[in-house]
Amino acid sequence: MRYVSTRGAAPVLDFEGALLAGLARDGGLYVPESWPEIGHRLTFWRGLSYQSLAFEMLAPFVGEALPAPALGDLIDGAYGSFGHKAVCPLVQLGPNDFLMELFHGPTLAFKDVAMQLLGRLFNTILTRRGESVTVLGATSGDTGSAAIEALKGLPAVTVVMLHPKGRVSEVQRRQMTTVMDGNIHNVAVEGTFDDCQALVKTLFNRLEFRDKARLSAVNSINWARIVAQTVYYVYASLALGGPDRPISFAVPTGNFGDVYAGYAAAKMGLPVEKLVVATNRNDILARALNTGDYSTGTVQPTISPSMDIQVASNFERLLFDLHGRDGTAVARAMDGFQATGRLTIAPDALDQARRLFRAVKVDEETTRETIGRTKAETGLIVDPHTAVALAGAAQARGDIGVPMVTLATAHPAKFPTAVEAATGVLPALPPRMADLYQRDERYAVLPNDADALQSHISGIIG
Ligand SMILES: *Cc1c(COP(=O)(O)O)cnc(C)c1O
């Protein structure tokens, strides 16, 4: 499989190249040159374990980068770290209404599903090449801890992880800053998540520094993460009668990585009725998909902080398809967006997107109510991100004969304050994390300034 940049001006790469590059050199994101067709294989995949299904799904994307037994071992290792035998179990909430729990990994959020695999892929491929990289990332909370957990202690990798100071939950911060491995470096930036993400982009675009520091990314722009996330869409479908009937999914959305993986699964031939893009009041994607107006606003803090963004990096991957895979047109659109903070989606492209996507903005009050009501009706305690998606699913349900699978992206104990306020119950951390609040922390604080960050990184890597 070969990968092309959404802006059409970066080298075409194989899986190994796209994995290590993260962001393309023209500022674009890598996407596969064509989609493998899985439709005719789905019935044969019924009843496979999560690991076996992941192997079948990943193999065509990985290609010759890894021999089959090595890929199988990596997958087994990645999902062996999960606390549930089904890896991503389904729970029923009501008639034709399901929750898929994606939070049984080591840091209690869905990002482990991709990151546990990505860390192992990095380690294997870098070791084979005798190389090392500096993973530079920005996190609104969960990516950072998932990356740190997946990459800690690897000799070939130095991690520099930015988070917006004071804007991630204490559990999220501590899951990052209490990791004492020498290759892990946390930076609290005096700014928002979008500022952090912009700093990362700026340093990646300083090509000389990028090469010297051997910068690499594991945030949700990394193609390997997207492909790992396509697996649970197929897993849910097969468990609920797919491919003989279509399934809808409701996805709590920030950077558009998770729901784009659902789109990718549909592109490959999975029968998907609707993808509900549920945002909190940071609603750039809801506005874009409802009116064609993709324009940034100011980031507003919410009780679902992992979705507090006003630029959704992975949306560019969808724009690429909406522009007929014309990289030059995407580059022009993104340059305009960079300059003005606004991009308008043409009416026919919007119609095309809306055949699959439904976008819903969910306010804070509805999110709290949904946490409370879900507990009252089912006994289940859901986290605020999951609640945003449940509220979105209820609003955009459409045909009730189609099963709705809402993706539960975080364990409620990651967001204890909001959950306690909504339910009166303080969700407990699993025993292996019980002492999190007592552990020592280590992190630097930097201004929102690319030069300061560059010299900080130079200081670390020497
Ligand atoms: C990252 C995250 C999301 C948003 O996922 P995207 O791929 O950025 O859209 C939703 N919920 C939780 C808990 C997350 O950590």
Side-chain angles (χ1 to χ4, degrees), residues 109-111 142 252-258 306-307 385 409-410:
F110 91 99
K111 296 200 169 70
D142 296 328
T253 300
N255 234 336
F256 205 72
D258 199 2
S306 301
M307 314 195 307
H385 302 77
T409 50

Side-chain angles (χ1 to χ4, degrees), residues 103 108-112 139-143 172 193 197 220 225-226 229 232 251-261 277-278 285 304-309 312-314 383-386 407-411 414-415:
F103 54 68
L108 308 180
F110 91 99
K111 296 200 169 70
D112 290 323
T139 183
S140 53
D142 296 328
T143 309
Q172 289 178 313
F193 170 61
Q197 203 160 234
S220 67
R225 280 188 54 184
I226 302 286
Q229 291 173 185
Y232 46 75
V251 187
T253 300
N255 234 336
F256 205 72
D258 199 2
V259 74
Y260 177 81
V277 176
L285 286 169
S304 49
S306 301
M307 314 195 307
D308 288 352
I309 62 140
S313 303
N314 278 291
D383 100 289
H385 302 77
T386 305
L407 300 186
T409 50
H411 188 287
K414 264 197 121 153
F415 304 94

Side-chain angles (χ1 to χ4, degrees), residues 81-407:
S81 72
F82 276 56
H84 195 293
K85 210 176 159 195
V87 183
C88 300
L90 277 170
V91 177
Q92 187 156 11
L93 297 175
N96 249 349
D97 201 359
F98 299 86
L99 205 58
M100 184 168 232
E101 295 181 349
L102 304 179
F103 54 68
H104 291 278
T107 72
L108 308 180
F110 91 99
K111 296 200 169 70
D112 290 323
V113 177
M115 209 64 87
Q116 283 293 314
L117 192 67
L118 187 62
R120 285 168 170 81
L121 283 166
F122 257 66
N123 193 36
T124 305
I125 287 177
L126 287 171
T127 306
R128 189 172 72 200
R129 291 162 64 122
E131 290 176 4
S132 61
V133 295
T134 303
V135 166
L136 173 62
T139 183
S140 53
D142 296 328
T143 309
S145 54
I148 287 168
E149 199 58 45
L151 299 171
K152 67 181 185 190
L154 301 183
V157 183
T158 300
V159 179
V160 179
M161 188 57 64
L162 316 183
H163 68 266
K165 184 165 183 284
R167 289 175 188 250
V168 300
S169 82
E170 186 175 1
V171 179
Q172 289 178 313
R173 189 189 73 239
R174 287 183 162 273
Q175 281 185 325
M176 298 190 280
T177 59
T178 60
V179 175
M180 292 297 158
D181 296 71
N183 70 327
I184 303 299
H185 304 273
N186 283 286
V187 178
V189 173
E190 291 166 329
T192 64
F193 170 61
D194 287 346
D195 293 330
C196 296
Q197 203 160 234
L199 285 173
V200 170
K201 280 212 163 188
T202 303
L203 291 206
F204 268 91
N205 287 328
R206 292 181 178 178
L207 297 183
E208 197 183 321
F209 178 70
R210 171 178 178 165
D211 289 341
K212 182 172 144 267
R214 297 200 46 87
L215 289 189
S216 178
V218 297
N219 55 16
S220 67
I221 59 176
N222 195 296
W223 173 256
R225 280 188 54 184
I226 302 286
V227 70
Q229 291 173 185
T230 63
V231 177
Y232 46 75
Y233 288 91
V234 178
Y235 194 54
S237 162
L238 296 181
L240 296 175
D244 295 339
R245 60 172 180 172
I247 311 285
S248 289
F249 294 89
V251 187
T253 300
N255 234 336
F256 205 72
D258 199 2
V259 74
Y260 177 81
Y263 167 84
K267 280 293 218 192
M268 288 185 255
L270 183 73
V272 176
E273 177 78 11
K274 284 286 170 292
L275 291 171
V276 178
V277 176
T279 75
N280 63 27
R281 64 181 174 189
N282 296 288
D283 64 342
I284 180 172
L285 286 169
R287 276 184 285 119
L289 290 166
N290 286 322
T291 68
D293 171 32
Y294 183 74
S295 62
T296 53
T298 337
V299 179
Q300 302 182 46
T302 70
I303 57 170
S304 49
S306 301
M307 314 195 307
D308 288 352
I309 62 140
Q310 282 289 354
V311 178
S313 303
N314 278 291
F315 196 58
E316 183 169 336
R317 290 189 155 114
L318 179 65
L319 288 175
F320 183 62
D321 282 355
L322 296 180
H323 281 85
R325 303 202 126 220
D326 176 351
T328 315
V330 174
R332 205 182 310 122
M334 294 310 295
D335 286 347
F337 178 70
Q338 179 84 23
T340 65
R342 162 158 293 169
L343 186 157
T344 305
I345 303 167
D348 54 332
L350 194 59
D351 285 349
Q352 189 189 325
R354 288 168 56 88
R355 262 174 243 149
L356 194 56
F357 293 103
R358 280 284 170 282
V360 179
K361 168 192 180 175
V362 177
D363 64 31
E364 295 287 274
E365 196 41 47
T366 309
T367 306
R368 288 194 198 92
E369 269 168 31
T370 305
I371 299 173
R373 185 157 28 82
T374 306
K375 173 158 186 298
E377 288 175 354
T378 68
L380 278 180
I381 297 186
V382 295
D383 100 289
H385 302 77
T386 305
V388 167
L390 282 172
Q395 283 176 47
R397 187 69 211 257
D399 182 352
I400 54 164
V402 175
M404 173 60 82
V405 176
T406 298
L407 300 186

